[in-house]
């Protein structure tokens, strides 16, 4: 989605803002722009990549030490320079950048047009610029008051940064529903929608809460509510470092993050697994352990990859904790009038912690009396701040749009949560300790899978030209089949469907034609024989079998060509998704690169979907 970076301080703003924009590129966007105040307000915008804007700015630099910059992912109006941010008013030199959507922008626009304002774009953001300008009164609080007053009139979601030619030493930021972080430096501040645009300059930050406005000058800040009541924000240390958001020896973030998984999962487990005692320590859940143990239903929700992880979570909660569990897309749950009985625990799964549908479903369930829990990666994100309890993934910043290390982090947290609950219900110390021992060995097992990278690349090269693929699995590996298909389609633009392996004979088998790749997850688990039957059904109709199988399985190579088999170490079925997904991540990444796509910036996609 859109990205915000703004600066006020003593340095030249343009290079700093440009660096911030580059760090925000991964979020997905279609145009970019920058405004800087020096002697006057200067602005440049461009359609396409940040590099296009950079070229323009190299030819005609913007000078000044206060500025705002933005990457836009179109919601209102087409992808044009006129619709790109920043937007300006038509009177006093207000410039604004905005993430989110203003729902009542049409009525506000009519009101402003009646007052003589002339609009040049189709965006809701320009309406906000005009409204701030209309309400601006230098003698009565200036920009800060105008922003507070304007936002009291607005319905919808926003994170904004605003400057005004009339107040060249002031930057005003505000938020409702879209994240905004303020980095506190030495006589300088950086405001951004994402910590990655801040961390190179300072690690001291505070988040704005919903309905808060922050007025910044070079050496001071003041945070207030929309009613101008001062609030004191909590300054905290950012827990990411620069290395984590840089490519290092890798060509793409996606590949880097796939290879990071052994280490990221070690961090997810660190200090949480006490194998000798057969217990799991989850600090963020401890206070609510009784609610979890006595839950009558666990309802898990998320979108995309997070939904697929939640589906594994559903199986784990039923299997290990013996609590009825259900998974539902957040976008459906939020509008479906769900029955939330007494004793419902809602688990919201999200890498970013900002996905609009997941946040809304969580709030809906909370209103209806559910105890809420977050399984989130980004510390301090909206979902993390809105839940009663939670477990952070600790996998570090995920920059690749295709989620990889967050997925395995989510699976690991789900497994720990199921053990945490199961141990307090029916699971013996011994059974818990056994599964924990396996969890502890997962990073090393993934290292072994990653050694097959070259052969997985060869498989990708053999089939990358095929336009239709199937991904099939059963039980715990049905969600992995969904995830394998999602990975392939989002970065390689190949049509892929993931489904329960037994489902093919109810229709999809009609699709099988000569050489169609069908990826089976065929690890040694309770449904292995059934998967073999499904493999034969596809193979006998001309499908080409690619399989994920358990080391030492001699049967599988009777059904699939040995060079088309990816091997995983032996692991118990409930934990197998942690391993089976890894070759599928590599397969998708290679297929996309072979087809010539930028895997970190797939078309039309945004890293974090903060709009409906
Ligand atoms: O930040 P979240 O985990 O809430 O994001 C949910 C989905 O938007 C996300 O998983 C998306 O499907 C990814 N592109 C998948 O790789």
């Amino acid at each position: 989605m859109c990205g915000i970076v703004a600066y006020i301080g003593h340095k030249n703003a343009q290079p700093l803002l440009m660096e911030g924009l580059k760090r925000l590129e991964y979020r997905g966007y279609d145009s970019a722009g920058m405004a800087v105040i020096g002697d006057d307000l200067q602005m440049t915008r461009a359609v396409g990549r940040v590099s296009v804007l950079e070229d323009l700015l190299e030819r005609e630099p913007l000078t000044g030490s206060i500025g705002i910059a933005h990457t836009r992912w179109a919601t209102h109006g087409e992808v044009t320079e006129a619709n790109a941010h920043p937007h300006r008013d038509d009177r006093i030199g207000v410039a604004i950048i905005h993430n989110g959507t203003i729902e009542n922008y049409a009525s506000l626009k009519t009101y402003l047009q009646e007052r003589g304002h002339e609009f040049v774009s189709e965006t809701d953001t320009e309406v906000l610029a005009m409204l701030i300008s209309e309400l601006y009164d230098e003698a009565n609080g200036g920009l800060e008051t105008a922003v507070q007053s304007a936002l009291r009139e607005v319905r919808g979601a926003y994170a904004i940064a605003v400057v005004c030619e009339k107040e060249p030493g002031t930057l005003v930021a505000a938020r409702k529903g879209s994240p905004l972080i303020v980095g506190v430096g030495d006589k300088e501040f950086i405001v951004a929608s994402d910590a990655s645009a801040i961390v190179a300059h300072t690690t001291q930050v505070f988040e704005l809460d919903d309905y808060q406005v922050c007025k910044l000058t070079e050496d001071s800040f003041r945070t207030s509510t929309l009613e101008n009541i001062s609030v004191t924000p909590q300054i905290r240390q950012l827990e990411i470092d620069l290395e984590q958001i840089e490519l290092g020896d890798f060509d793409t973030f996606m590949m880097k993050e796939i290879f990071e998984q052994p280490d990221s999962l070690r961090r997810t487990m660190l200090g949480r697994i006490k194998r000798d005692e057969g217990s799991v320590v989850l600090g963020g859940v401890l206070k609510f352990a009784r609610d979890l143990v006595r839950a009558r239903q666990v309802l898990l929700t998320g979108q995309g990859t997070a939904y697929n992880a939640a589906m594994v979570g559903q199986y784990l909660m039923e299997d290990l904790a013996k609590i009825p569990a259900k998974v539902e897309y957040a976008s459906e749950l939020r509008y479906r009038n769900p029955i939330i009985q007494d004793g419902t625990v809602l688990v919201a799964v999200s890498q970013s912690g900002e996905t609009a549908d997941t946040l809304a479903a969580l709030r809906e369930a909370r209103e209806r009396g559910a105890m809420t829990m977050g399984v989130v990666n980004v510390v301090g994100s909206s979902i993390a701040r809105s839940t009663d309890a939670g477990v952070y993934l600790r996998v570090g910043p995920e920059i690749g749009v295709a989620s990889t290390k967050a997925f395995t982090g989510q699976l690991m947290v789900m497994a720990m949560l199921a053990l945490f609950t199961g141990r307090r219900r029916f699971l013996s110390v011994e059974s818990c300790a056994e599964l924990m021992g396996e969890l502890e060995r997962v990073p090393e097992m993934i290292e072994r899978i990653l050694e097959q990278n070259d052969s997985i690349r060869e498989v990708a090269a053999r089939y990358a030209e095929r336009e239709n693929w199937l991904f099939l699995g059963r039980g715990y590996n049905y969600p992995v089949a969904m995830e394998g298909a999602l990975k392939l389609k989002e970065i390689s633009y190949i049509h892929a469907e993931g489904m329960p392996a037994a489902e093919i004979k109810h229709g999809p088998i009609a699709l099988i034609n000569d050489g169609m790749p069908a990826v089976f997850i065929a690890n040694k688990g309770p449904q292995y024989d059934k998967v073999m039957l499904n493999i034969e059904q596809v193979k006998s109709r001309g499908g080409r079998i690619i399989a994920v199988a358990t080391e030492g399985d001699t049967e599988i190579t009777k059904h699939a060509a040995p060079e088309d088999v990816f091997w995983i170490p032996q692991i118990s079925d409930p934990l197998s998704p942690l391993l089976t997904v890894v070759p599928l991540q590599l397969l998708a990444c290679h297929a996309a690169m072979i087809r010539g796509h930028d895997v970190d910036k797939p078309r039309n996609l945004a890293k974090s979907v903060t709009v409906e």
Side-chain angles (χ1 to χ4, degrees):
M1 295 274 104
C2 309
I4 282 180
V5 56
Y7 176 79
I8 182 161
H10 48 277
K11 296 180 189 143
N12 192 7
Q14 179 182 308
L16 213 136
L17 293 173
M18 184 48 68
E19 186 217 315
L21 286 182
K22 287 182 185 165
R23 299 228 186 255
L24 294 174
E25 277 194 284
Y26 79 97
R27 294 168 66 98
Y29 67 100
D30 42 51
S31 53
M34 187 185 293
V36 169
I37 297 192
D39 293 336
D40 56 358
L41 177 65
Q42 314 132 62
M43 190 165 94
T44 305
R45 299 178 297 185
V47 167
R49 290 278 152 104
V50 164
S51 55
V52 179
L53 178 71
E54 190 174 28
D55 286 347
L56 292 176
L57 290 172
E58 256 167 38
R59 271 177 263 143
E60 278 185 58
L62 311 181
T63 51
S65 53
I66 159 168
I68 56 181
H70 192 258
T71 47
R72 173 178 187 248
W73 192 83
T75 55
H76 287 77
E78 287 167 31
V79 180
T80 60
E81 191 191 320
N83 287 337
H85 298 210
H87 287 280
R88 297 184 58 158
D89 75 318
D90 54 353
R91 292 185 186 163
I92 59 167
V94 168
I96 182 171
I97 50 176
H98 166 218
N99 288 358
T101 35
I102 305 299
E103 286 162 15
N104 58 337
Y105 84 102
S107 56
L108 290 171
K109 189 167 182 173
T110 308
Y111 162 79
L112 290 160
Q113 278 167 333
E114 280 164 10
R115 299 188 70 88
H117 289 277
E118 285 183 21
F119 289 80
V120 292
S121 83
E122 303 156 83
T123 66
D124 51 341
T125 306
E126 191 185 13
V127 174
L128 208 44
M130 299 287 191
L131 187 60
I132 292 167
S133 160
E134 178 67 27
L135 298 170
Y136 185 88
D137 179 353
E138 204 166 353
N140 183 18
L143 189 60
E144 183 189 27
T145 303
V147 170
Q148 290 166 338
S149 311
L151 295 179
R152 286 201 297 269
E153 303 302 322
V154 151
R155 274 202 326 272
Y158 53 79
I160 56 169
V162 194
V163 291
C164 178
E165 219 170 16
K166 279 183 173 276
E167 284 180 45
T170 305
L171 169 68
V172 177
R175 116 168 219 174
K176 193 230 143 186
S178 258
L180 206 59
I181 309 171
V182 181
V184 182
D186 182 16
K187 286 195 185 299
E188 61 180 0
F189 297 93
I190 303 165
V191 178
S193 48
D194 188 316
S196 61
I198 295 178
V199 69
H201 306 281
T202 176
T203 53
Q204 296 295 298
V205 299
F206 64 88
E207 275 101 12
L208 288 187
D209 269 333
D210 281 352
Y211 303 108
Q212 285 184 355
V213 174
C214 187
K215 176 185 176 181
L216 302 141
T217 65
E218 187 183 304
D219 51 12
S220 73
F221 68 89
R222 173 179 182 262
T223 306
S224 61
T225 64
L226 296 188
E227 289 73 35
N228 198 28
I229 297 165
S230 294
V231 284
T232 311
Q234 286 277 326
I235 298 185
R236 67 173 177 91
Q237 175 79 19
L238 264 186
E239 280 168 22
I240 59 173
D241 56 50
L242 209 49
E243 200 181 289
Q244 288 178 303
I245 57 167
E246 291 190 333
L247 277 171
D249 294 336
F250 288 87
D251 293 331
T252 68
F253 280 106
M254 182 174 178
M255 197 55 98
K256 176 179 183 240
E257 286 158 8
I258 293 173
F259 272 82
E260 263 173 32
Q261 289 177 110
D263 283 340
S264 62
L265 290 174
R266 285 185 183 108
R267 284 198 304 274
T268 307
M269 282 186 285
L270 193 69
R272 288 171 164 170
I273 292 200
K274 305 272 179 249
R275 184 153 49 94
D276 298 345
E277 300 157 27
S279 70
V280 174
V281 181
L282 298 175
V285 176
L286 211 51
K287 229 170 89 191
F288 293 88
R290 270 170 72 79
D291 299 74
L292 196 55
V293 170
R294 288 146 57 122
R296 289 168 64 187
Q297 177 190 215
V298 175
L299 187 54
L300 301 107
T301 196
Q303 295 289 141
T305 288
Y307 172 85
N308 295 337
M311 213 195 293
V312 177
Q314 174 198 7
Y315 298 170
L316 285 164
M317 286 312 277
E318 293 210 334
D319 215 3
L320 303 182
K322 304 279 180 253
I323 300 178
K326 213 169 121 185
V327 63
E328 193 164 344
Y329 283 109
S331 54
E332 293 297 313
L333 183 64
R334 65 181 289 194
Y335 290 119
R336 199 182 49 80
N337 200 13
I339 297 171
I340 307 277
Q341 305 165 322
D342 196 24
T344 298
V345 173
L346 185 283
V347 181
V349 185
S350 174
Q351 188 285 129
S352 62
E354 301 294 348
T355 299
D357 284 321
T358 310
L359 187 57
L362 157 70
R363 288 184 173 148
E364 184 65 31
R366 197 187 160 103
E367 293 262 297
R368 289 170 184 242
M371 178 224 153
T372 58
M373 188 178 289
V375 174
V376 169
N377 193 34
V378 178
V379 175
S381 57
S382 301
I383 292 176
R385 287 144 64 95
S386 308
T387 45
D388 299 308
V391 186
Y392 280 121
L393 305 184
R394 297 192 196 146
V395 297
E398 189 178 69
I399 307 289
V401 168
S403 190
T404 53
K405 64 176 178 174
F407 180 70
T408 47
Q410 287 157 352
L411 297 181
M412 180 66 87
V413 167
M414 294 296 177
M416 291 193 295
L417 196 60
L419 289 172
F420 176 91
T421 316
R423 178 68 199 94
R424 286 166 169 78
R425 287 168 60 88
F426 310 105
L427 267 185
S428 66
V429 174
E430 292 72 29
S431 318
C432 254
E434 203 173 304
L435 286 166
M436 285 174 185
E438 282 195 286
L439 275 184
E440 285 177 323
R441 290 197 298 281
V442 161
E444 180 198 316
M445 293 182 189
I446 293 181
E447 271 156 8
R448 265 164 52 199
I449 298 169
L450 293 172
E451 284 167 14
Q452 297 166 63
N453 187 31
D454 288 345
S455 55
I456 294 174
R457 193 188 176 287
E458 282 165 24
V459 176
R462 263 199 294 287
Y463 301 106
E465 281 181 6
R466 304 296 304 214
E467 293 299 336
N468 292 293
W469 293 48
L470 287 177
F471 286 76
L472 303 147
R474 298 178 78 123
Y476 277 102
N477 283 295
Y478 155 42
V480 175
M482 302 270 289
E483 178 60 9
L486 175 60
K487 285 290 86 78
L488 189 67
K489 62 188 146 193
E490 68 180 331
I491 52 170
S492 70
Y493 320 143
I494 290 171
H495 172 244
E497 282 194 55
M499 67 188 78
E503 183 61 17
I504 38 162
K505 36 186 200 304
H506 300 285
I509 203 161
L511 292 170
I512 309 280
N513 57 16
D514 208 20
M516 179 183 189
V519 182
F520 276 88
I521 298 135
N523 60 307
K524 279 277 185 189
Q527 300 207 50
Y528 176 80
D529 293 342
K530 304 286 176 208
V531 175
M532 289 302 136
L533 282 179
N534 300 136
I535 288 182
E536 272 315 301
Q537 288 158 355
V538 172
K539 196 175 167 193
S540 57
R541 285 164 180 85
R544 184 75 196 203
I545 310 299
I546 299 167
V548 179
T550 306
E551 285 169 1
D553 178 358
T554 48
E555 184 64 23
I556 190 71
T557 42
K558 295 180 190 152
H559 304 271
E563 64 276 18
D564 286 345
V565 179
F566 312 135
W567 300 103
I568 62 156
Q570 172 65 47
I571 190 164
S572 24
D573 202 42
L575 307 184
S576 63
L578 279 158
L579 304 186
T580 51
V581 74
V582 177
L584 305 188
Q585 296 168 340
L586 287 170
L587 181 68
C589 193
H590 285 304
M593 291 193 293
I594 290 163
R595 286 168 72 102
H597 302 309
D598 181 343
V599 297
D600 289 335
K601 298 188 198 83
R603 72 180 177 210
N604 305 337
L605 290 186
K607 178 65 184 161
S608 160
V609 184
T610 52
V611 295
E612 274 201 65

